Structures are given as structure tokens and as C-alpha cells.
């Protein structure tokens, strides 16, 4: 089945208001920037995003955030996005912070059909006890706090229960793909992309190199095409660098 579409606008055209969406990337690496830009043009609002972070000001999910299109986000890092911080503290954005490894496992569990799992990460903290501010009120008080999690003991160690994530859509960036949707990621750009792709009900991939079926080495495929419903070819995609550090001239 040929899953390639002619444009990014086509592959995101039916994403509705209020959709939940896992988005690959870590910082500015492996971010599906073309798909995010197409979604910004498409106009969907009240989105719930699941991503390590919300990009930076002016790039990636930061553009949707600045446009007021994200209602809620689940992530592990606020990062250098000043608008993220402002909206969160002003009560305009609901934020569920979760440990980074837990976030990855919640996505992985969703992709393999495990509804919940126990982890030691967060035991003895507000993650387990509840009370983390998910949303502030305009006056700075806590309008919505995180609930307490179930904690159980296994072999003398305490673990808390975490629910898997199963979003409506995933937006991911891959280095290479065939038209059947088999994806290959490149180096650090692999990051959260495979977990997002497997967890979602509908996965949309932007790919730098699109090849014919049979051209990919089966042992090199990171995300099998069964997890991918749509893809679009994006050659010469922008790859910005968040912090450029160079050696001083001697």
C-alpha cells in the first residue's frame, strides 16, 4: 500500500480541534517541523501534545504554542521556550510534567498494548503523592493539581503506577522511508520518534529520502510500516541548531 501523500497540507488536513498528538524530537533534533508548520496553517485548535518539550520560540511546537493552539501538554522539559513558561504560569496552558524515562515508557507501553506499568521513578515525590501544579489560575493559585498515584511494593521496593499513552495522532521525522511506511531514523534524531510512531492511532511521518519498497535493509528498519498510515517526502528540510558552539581561533 502506497502511503505517500503529495504534500504536508494533505496529511494533516483532517486533524480536528481537540486532538491528542505525540510529536517526536528532542530539543531541535528530529523534530517534524514541516508537519508542524502545515498544522499551524491548517488551523486546528485546543490540541493536547505529548512531547519531550515544546520546542523553542519560533520553531517546532513553539510556533503552535505562540499561536495559542495548544491547550494541554505532557512532557518532561520546559526548556528555553519563554512563551511556554509564560503561558504555564499565567494559567493559559495545562502542563503535566513527567520524568523523561517515564514519558518514553508510557509511549512505548501504548505502542505494545500495555495499559499501565509500575516504575520506581517518582516514588516519594509529588509525582506519586499528587499536588504538582498542572494548571494555574490567573491569580497564581493552583487551579488543577496532579492526582496521587497508586504505589505498591514489589520485593521490598516501592513502585508507582503510570498509565500508558495512546494519542490520536503522531507526527514524526524520519531520515529514510519506503512507500509502505517503513521508517529509518538517523543517529540522535531517532530519540522519541519511534515511541511516538508506535503509540498513536494514526501516525504521520515526514521523510527526507523516499525510496521504493524493497530498497531498505529489513534489519535497518526502526519503525515497521504497520505503525505508519501516512507519509510525505520533505527533501532539504531545515535543521536548525539551538546552541552553536565553536572553538576560538588560535
Amino acid at each position: 500500500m502506497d502511503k505517500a501523500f503529495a504534500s504536508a497540507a494533505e496529511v494533516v488536513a483532517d486533524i480536528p480541534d481537540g486532538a491528542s498528538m505525540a510529536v517526536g524530537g528532542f530539543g531541535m533534533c528530529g523534530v517534524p517541523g514541516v508537519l508542524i508548520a502545515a498544522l499551524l496553517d491548517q488551523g486546528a485548535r485546543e490540541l493536547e501534545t505529548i512531547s519531550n518539550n515544546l520546542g523553542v520560540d519560533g520553531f517546532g511546537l513553539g510556533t503552535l504554542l505562540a499561536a495559542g493552539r495548544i491547550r494541554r501538554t505532557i512532557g518532561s522539559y520546559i526548556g528555553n521556550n519563554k512563551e511556554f513558561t509564560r503561558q504555564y504560569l499565567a494559567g493559559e496552558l495545562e502542563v503535566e510534567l513527567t520524568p523523561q524515562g517515564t514519558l518514553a515508557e508510557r509511549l512505548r507501553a501504548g505502542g505494545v498494548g500495555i495499559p499501565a506499568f509500575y516504575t520506581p521513578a517518582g516514588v516519594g515525590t509529588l509525582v506519586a503523592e499528587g499536588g504538582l501544579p498542572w494548571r494555574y489560575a490567573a491569580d497564581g493559585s493552583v487551579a488543577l493539581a496532579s492526582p496521587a498515584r497508586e504505589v505498591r511494593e514489589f520485593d521490598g521496593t516501592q513502585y508507582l503506577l503510570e498509565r500508558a499513552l495512546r494519542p490520536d495522532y503522531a507526527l514524526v521525522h524520519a531520515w529514510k522511508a519506503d512507500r509502505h511506511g517503513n521508517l529509518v531514523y538517523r543517529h540522535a534524531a531517532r530519540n522519541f520518534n519511534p515511541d511516538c510512531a508506535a503509540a498513536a492511532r494514526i501516525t504521520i511521518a515526514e521523510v527526507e529520502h523516499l525510496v521504493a519498497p524493497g530498497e531498505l535493509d529489513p534489519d535497518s528498519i526502526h519503525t515497521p510500516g504497520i505503525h505508519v498510515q501516512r507519509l510525505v517526502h520533505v527533501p532539504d528540510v531545515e535543521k536548525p541548531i539551538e546552541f552553536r558552539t565553536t572553538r576560538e581561533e588560535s
Side-chain angles (χ1 to χ4, degrees), residues 1 3 177-183 205 223-228 231:
M1 179 179 179
K3 300 176 181 178
D178 63 23
R179 289 182 172 272
H180 289 171
N182 296 299
L183 306 181
T223 295
I226 193 172
H227 292 301
V228 179
L231 56 86

Side-chain angles (χ1 to χ4, degrees), residues 42-83:
Q42 185 255 42
R45 311 185 67 83
E46 297 291 308
L47 298 170
E48 177 178 351
T49 61
I50 303 165
S51 183
N52 180 67
N53 56 285
L54 277 182
V56 298
D57 296 307
F59 179 77
L61 287 174
T63 59
L64 286 173
L65 183 72
R69 308 271 277 280
I70 300 176
R71 176 190 65 83
R72 187 177 195 274
T73 190
I74 301 174
S76 65
Y77 182 59
I78 291 179
N80 297 295
N81 191 324
K82 295 180 181 179
E83 180 62 11

